[in-house]
Amino acid sequence: MSNRQSMLTFQLLILTILYTLPNVNSIDQTEVDADSWKDVRKTIDDGRIRGKEAIDISSDPYTFESDSLPDNRKFNPSVGNGHLATTIYGDAIFVNGIYNGETGWSHRARIPSIHSSNFSFSDDGCGNPSRFYKLDLQNATYQETMVLPGGTVMYRVYAHQVFNRLLVTEVIIERNLSSACGPCCSQGITATRLDLGSAASNDLDMQPPQRYASADCDAINTTCWIQSGAIREPERPGTTKTQLSVVWNEMPSTFVLPQGQDSARWTFVLSVDQRTPVAEEDFDRALEALSAGDSDGLHLGHGRAFQTGTWAKGDIEIGGDLHLQKVIRGCLYYLYTSLPSHSSHSANNQFYGLSPGGLPNGANGTDYQGHVFWDMETWMYPGMLMLRPDLARDMLSYRINLMDPAFERAATGGYEGTRFPWESAFTGIEVTPVVCPACAENQQHITGDIAFAARQYLAATGDKDWLTQTQAGTNYTGMDFLLEMARFWNSRPTFNATKQRYDINGVMPPDEHAENVNNSVYTNLIASYSVHFARYAACLIDLDYGSLVPDSWIDQAQNLAFVFQTEKRYHEEFEGYDYEVETNTTDVRGVKQADVVMLGFPLMWSMPTDVRRNDLEWYETVTHPNGPAMTWGVFSTGWLDLGQFAKADELFTKAYGSYAREPFKVWTEVQSGDGAVNFITGMGGFLQTVLFGYGGMRLDVEELRFHVQRLPPGTTSLTIRNVNYLEMEFDVALTSNLTTLTVISTGSHQLFLNTTNPPAEISLSPGLTIDLVPQEFSISVGSIKNCPLLTAINVDYGVESSIRRQRSHPR
């Protein structure tokens, strides 16, 4: 057997194990006892075994700090800027869009983290430091501080927000100048470096490094290098390999502060991009600053950019619970640092999506290999949309950029339009590993999830230009994007003459334990939404919507099968589910994660109150207790809608309490510590519970509604900074008896606040502050355009007709 065959066999074994561990990956195919696999899992990736939790000792709401690191290296923090990211003390830098491996073997390509370091000191009594490890969220910077008797050594790492091809590492030594300092203060200080990350990568074929000629390198007495090459295997066989270039300055093995010198500072820069001139440009900019003696400016410019370009544009403040505040800020930080920096001086490359572990994770065989799932649109996207619609548009651009392979995917199955892959990476082809063919073939709801995200984008922004102009370097407009997904869903169902309904058979719903079922209620509803909204969007931009989305499409979408148990008054997860319940033949593992309960939120399907309650009560009892965090947030939001606050609070606490690991608030996919790390899918779901559950927001096509809001348990205030709606930015501040809305800026739409206590319509303008007693209220435009948007599916709940025309406003 060849070396390659041996490697492929080993990889297949590893992936098979990973995909059959309980809740480790997207599919639980068998229930495996965790203890029996402990040694195997540790061999695969020692980061999957939960280590002891260190303690966060900082009282600063923007700082995570500890005097010890977690035993589990996977729980170390990360820095990133959407172009590149790294886990501190790790051996890898990952770059947006750089993957290696064919189809299901595709994974983020490891670029050596050349400057990743640890430090040791002499054992002569002057070299035994106290160590403190700090993640500064406000400035997106990691720093280890080593306090010696004679001085302090600092190791600092950040991914630059302005020169976003750069990962910057600094070593700073400062002498203790206290008069009370003993003999250690007069000695030199030597820090010896342990190289953690420069080993060659198995993912890359790189040419030998060459000296990089630069006067600035000479000016600061550093040796600079450039190395170019390519990935080893393209994702799509037979296509061009992704190229890359890395430029860096050399890091010594020791750092010395001589006797008589008070301080010293060394700065090391690594720049990487798919295009050599771009990598060189950012490197040269950094070296110019260093040769001009402005190493402080390099760091301060980065910090200012993150504060003004990120935190000032979207933040959530909590009063009365410092721990919860830090968990929320950590969620925002880890999401923001995997998304493109909009402070970059150079144009960003095409964005290649958010994977469950974010940009710092996704090596071969771990953390879903950096693949993009429904997680991005369903869990991470909605919170970002309300705070940073520009980043939400970046996420949609990933899918539009890869529409051509989605056309191919649909045609391969005999369908029309675009069908997006369950797992996607660089090329947009299906990259689900071969060990789970049912995942690749049956998880078709992802195309509806993407269409629903596009619907939310238009509802939040009113961006008609997005509908009419070509996007993401393609010839496709946003309208093309919506229409082709609707075309797929129109081609997918088959007519059932017995039921006089249209079936969507052979699918896997969000509950991934149901691998091949018919008429998933979640799938059918989101498919219907896709068709209806394509017609609505065409109307908004004055197209002939009746010919683009014919009445026959609408009739089929409204008459999709929708399994509702009339006697027990709850939604069956799929056709035949209640029979399985009655015959005790449901999957012994239960429901993997939120599924039917998502009809109420985030899909906002209108149903009688008793049905909503029955769905919540039943599916909580049968949902896997060790499932992913997003599940409990959906339940919490549902109970908030029904006024069951104690139950909502209990599940809200469950949604983060066992998932966020100290001291750096790194999330795991499941409570046991297994699965993807750092699990930004769970973070996104949790933020939705804060914003849409306790914050009360509901984004309809025609208005932004606010349910009666409520403070999260144990808190005294909740403030959502810079909510974005139809170009208006505003803050919403909540206390136990008052909601305050402050308008920061407005755009081209005249918006109105519609209150219920007392009933009023208030014109909104910059600088306006309004105090409201707890009540439902909404924000909307004043004029109405009569565009068609019927309720998605005809359902008889025995209470009222389900065909209800929604109001629709022009954008």
Side-chain angles (χ1 to χ4, degrees):
M1 182 180 292
S2 69
N3 289 338
R4 173 167 168 73
Q5 289 174 319
S6 299
M7 178 57 70
L8 287 174
T9 301
F10 176 72
Q11 287 178 322
L12 181 59
L13 171 63
I14 296 306
L15 285 171
T16 302
I17 293 170
L18 291 177
Y19 267 75
T20 53
L21 286 173
N23 294 295
V24 167
N25 260 320
S26 182
I27 279 293
D28 285 342
Q29 293 184 313
T30 58
E31 186 71 18
V32 181
D33 179 74
D35 290 339
S36 66
W37 290 103
K38 183 175 181 180
D39 292 337
V40 176
R41 286 211 303 271
K42 190 168 181 63
T43 300
I44 296 167
D45 177 4
D46 61 12
R48 293 191 183 278
I49 306 301
R50 181 178 175 182
K52 77 174 184 181
E53 293 185 344
I55 299 172
D56 182 356
I57 60 176
S58 174
S59 60
D60 186 326
Y62 282 101
T63 300
F64 304 157
E65 186 171 15
S66 180
D67 58 4
S68 63
L69 290 170
D71 286 348
N72 185 332
R73 64 175 178 81
K74 293 282 281 188
F75 298 161
N76 286 344
S78 61
V79 294
N81 57 25
H83 175 75
L84 56 79
T86 188
T87 298
I88 302 299
Y89 306 117
D91 67 350
I93 297 168
F94 296 121
V95 172
N96 167 55
I98 299 185
Y99 289 82
N100 179 57
E102 293 182 355
T103 58
W105 306 106
S106 177
H107 56 276
R108 294 199 192 278
R110 174 185 165 263
I111 297 167
S113 187
I114 292 169
H115 297 140
S116 183
S117 304
N118 229 328
F119 295 91
S120 63
F121 303 89
S122 65
D123 57 1
D124 60 0
C126 294
N128 185 23
S130 299
R131 297 178 186 255
F132 299 90
Y133 311 91
K134 179 173 73 173
L135 183 63
D136 175 357
L137 305 183
Q138 195 162 35
N139 295 291
T141 299
Y142 176 79
Q143 180 171 301
E144 178 185 354
T145 301
M146 294 153 272
V147 181
L148 298 153
T152 301
V153 179
M154 287 166 279
Y155 170 66
R156 180 186 291 165
V157 184
Y158 55 95
H160 211 284
Q161 287 290 304
V162 179
F163 306 119
N164 70 337
R165 275 63 175 184
L166 302 183
L167 184 67
V168 183
T169 303
E170 297 179 345
V171 178
I172 304 166
I173 305 180
E174 296 177 347
R175 188 174 301 283
N176 183 350
L177 299 178
S178 168
S179 59
C181 185
C184 293
C185 294
S186 61
Q187 299 180 15
I189 299 175
T190 299
T192 302
R193 173 184 178 245
L194 172 64
D195 175 5
L196 299 178
S198 65
S201 171
N202 292 327
D203 296 322
L204 306 175
D205 280 326
M206 302 296 285
Q207 302 167 7
Q210 304 294 317
R211 288 289 293 269
Y212 184 70
S214 166
D216 292 313
C217 292
D218 297 336
I220 60 174
N221 195 30
T222 188
T223 303
C224 300
W225 300 92
I226 183 169
Q227 189 174 29
S228 298
I231 61 168
R232 289 189 169 174
E233 291 185 324
E235 185 173 283
R236 192 165 197 158
T239 59
T240 302
K241 297 178 181 180
T242 302
Q243 306 292 304
L244 72 156
S245 290
V246 185
V247 193
W248 73 97
N249 61 325
E250 192 173 295
M251 199 176 203
S253 59
T254 58
F255 296 86
V256 178
L257 179 68
Q259 288 181 327
Q261 185 174 329
D262 292 341
S263 65
R265 182 176 194 152
W266 299 262
T267 301
F268 305 95
V269 179
L270 181 146
S271 181
V272 58
D273 195 80
Q274 292 89 329
R275 295 163 294 169
T276 302
V278 177
E280 291 178 340
E281 181 183 1
D282 273 15
F283 184 81
D284 290 344
R285 291 289 187 97
L287 267 290
E288 286 173 12
L290 297 179
S291 66
D294 195 20
S295 54
D296 260 344
L298 193 65
H299 180 243
L300 292 173
H302 155 76
R304 281 193 301 268
F306 198 73
Q307 291 175 40
T308 60
T310 302
W311 291 119
K313 292 185 176 180
D315 197 3
I316 300 172
E317 297 174 1
I318 290 289
D321 188 333
L322 178 62
H323 176 66
L324 178 59
Q325 171 69 90
K326 288 189 171 196
V327 170
I328 290 171
R329 283 249 170 80
C331 293
L332 289 169
Y333 168 82
Y334 289 120
L335 280 161
Y336 281 145
T337 53
S338 281
L339 286 161
S341 168
H342 282 218
S343 302
S344 173
H345 86 103
S346 297
N348 288 321
N349 296 335
Q350 170 61 46
F351 180 57
Y352 282 93
L354 290 174
S355 61
L359 186 54
N361 297 292
N364 194 13
T366 68
D367 305 315
Y368 297 99
Q369 305 194 149
H371 295 177
V372 182
F373 298 73
W374 76 314
D375 301 45
M376 180 171 74
E377 286 83 7
T378 302
W379 300 113
M380 308 171 199
Y381 173 92
M384 288 293 102
L385 173 63
M386 300 313 301
L387 299 175
R388 290 290 304 276
D390 54 342
L391 296 176
R393 183 167 173 155
D394 288 335
M395 293 186 227
L396 291 178
S397 79
Y398 169 64
R399 301 297 188 178
I400 298 175
N401 181 254
L402 298 175
M403 281 179 64
D404 285 342
F407 277 111
E408 296 173 17
R409 185 79 173 93
T412 299
Y415 304 116
E416 300 175 359
T418 52
R419 175 187 167 186
F420 287 91
W422 176 239
E423 297 189 31
S424 180
F426 177 58
T427 63
I429 64 171
E430 181 65 71
V431 292
T432 300
V434 294
V435 295
C436 191
C439 308
E441 186 55 38
N442 298 342
Q443 298 230 54
Q444 298 175 26
H445 65 81
I446 188 168
T447 298
D449 302 324
I450 295 167
F452 190 69
R455 166 180 164 148
Q456 290 174 303
Y457 176 76
L458 283 168
T461 66
D463 187 356
K464 291 184 183 179
D465 288 343
W466 182 83
L467 282 174
T468 60
Q469 297 175 3
T470 56
Q471 303 294 321
T474 72
N475 293 320
Y476 301 117
T477 66
M479 188 66 236
D480 295 330
F481 184 49
L482 289 167
L483 182 62
E484 296 306 330
M485 289 186 285
R487 193 185 309 279
F488 166 73
W489 287 119
N490 181 67
S491 70
R492 181 61 177 83
T494 55
F495 183 65
N496 187 315
T498 302
K499 295 184 294 186
Q500 291 294 297
R501 289 275 186 164
Y502 293 89
D503 295 333
I504 299 180
N505 296 329
V507 299
M508 182 185 294
D511 171 17
E512 295 167 318
H513 292 160
E515 294 184 15
N516 190 341
V517 299
N518 298 335
N519 294 318
S520 148
V521 288
Y522 177 91
T523 302
N524 287 17
L525 179 57
I526 210 158
S528 182
Y529 275 170
S530 175
V531 175
H532 282 287
F533 191 73
R535 174 177 274 205
Y536 175 83
C539 176
L540 281 182
I541 55 176
D542 299 318
L543 297 178
D544 183 358
Y545 60 82
S547 61
L548 283 173
V549 184
D551 289 345
S552 60
W553 291 22
I554 297 299
D555 177 72
Q556 180 175 270
Q558 282 195 285
N559 289 285
L560 289 171
F562 200 70
V563 282
F564 174 65
Q565 225 296 326
T566 55
E567 293 183 4
K568 298 177 183 177
R569 294 188 60 75
Y570 82 107
H571 293 101
E572 295 185 58
E573 183 184 296
F574 51 83
E575 196 166 70
Y577 175 82
D578 193 65
Y579 174 79
E580 292 185 6
V581 170
E582 290 297 323
T583 58
N584 198 32
T585 55
T586 55
D587 194 294
V588 294
R589 297 164 297 176
V591 174
K592 168 149 186 219
Q593 59 190 358
D595 188 310
V596 172
V597 293
M598 295 174 70
L599 302 186
F601 181 84
L603 298 190
M604 296 181 291
W605 173 248
S606 178
M607 68 185 81
T609 300
D610 68 313
V611 175
R612 183 88 184 274
R613 179 180 294 107
N614 292 341
D615 284 350
L616 290 165
E617 288 179 344
W618 169 253
Y619 286 104
E620 185 183 345
T621 65
V622 296
T623 296
H624 197 297
N626 194 35
M630 314 86 69
T631 294
W632 315 118
V634 174
F635 277 105
S636 177
T637 299
W639 287 119
L640 285 168
D641 286 351
L642 297 180
Q644 301 296 311
F645 300 131
K647 188 67 175 173
D649 290 351
E650 171 194 342
L651 290 164
F652 173 75
T653 302
K654 184 176 182 178
Y656 74 93
S658 298
Y659 297 90
R661 309 300 185 194
E662 296 298 337
F664 300 113
K665 317 301 185 284
V666 168
W667 283 50
T668 56
E669 184 172 2
V670 294
Q671 298 174 59
S672 63
D674 290 327
V677 179
N678 187 4
F679 193 53
I680 59 175
T681 302
M683 297 182 197
F686 177 66
L687 289 175
Q688 287 190 58
T689 310
V690 175
L691 294 168
F692 301 101
Y694 290 91
M697 285 191 282
R698 291 294 184 277
L699 181 60
D700 286 336
V701 169
E702 73 281 0
E703 63 185 353
L704 178 61
R705 294 182 292 116
F706 285 81
H707 286 197
V708 176
Q709 299 165 296
R710 177 178 170 81
L711 291 174
T715 66
T716 56
S717 64
L718 165 63
T719 302
I720 307 170
R721 299 285 186 195
N722 283 77
V723 179
N724 274 261
Y725 181 63
L726 297 181
E727 302 175 37
M728 180 175 76
E729 295 183 355
F730 62 98
D731 294 344
V732 178
L734 175 67
T735 63
S736 60
N737 58 7
L738 192 69
T739 297
T740 300
L741 187 149
T742 302
V743 180
I744 301 167
S745 65
T746 57
S748 59
H749 305 280
Q750 177 56 62
L751 298 179
F752 295 89
L753 174 69
N754 308 291
T755 64
T756 56
N757 183 20
E761 183 180 77
I762 302 168
S763 177
L764 297 173
S765 58
L768 181 66
T769 296
I770 303 169
D771 290 332
L772 303 170
V773 297
Q775 61 181 284
E776 292 190 0
F777 61 92
S778 65
I779 299 172
S780 63
V781 295
S783 57
I784 297 175
K785 182 174 181 179
N786 188 24
C787 284
L789 187 63
L790 294 177
T791 295
I793 300 179
N794 297 338
V795 183
D796 183 5
Y797 285 116
V799 176
E800 59 178 331
S801 172
S802 67
I803 303 180
R804 299 176 293 274
R805 185 178 294 276
Q806 300 181 27
R807 288 173 296 160
S808 51
H809 294 269
R811 298 297 183 242

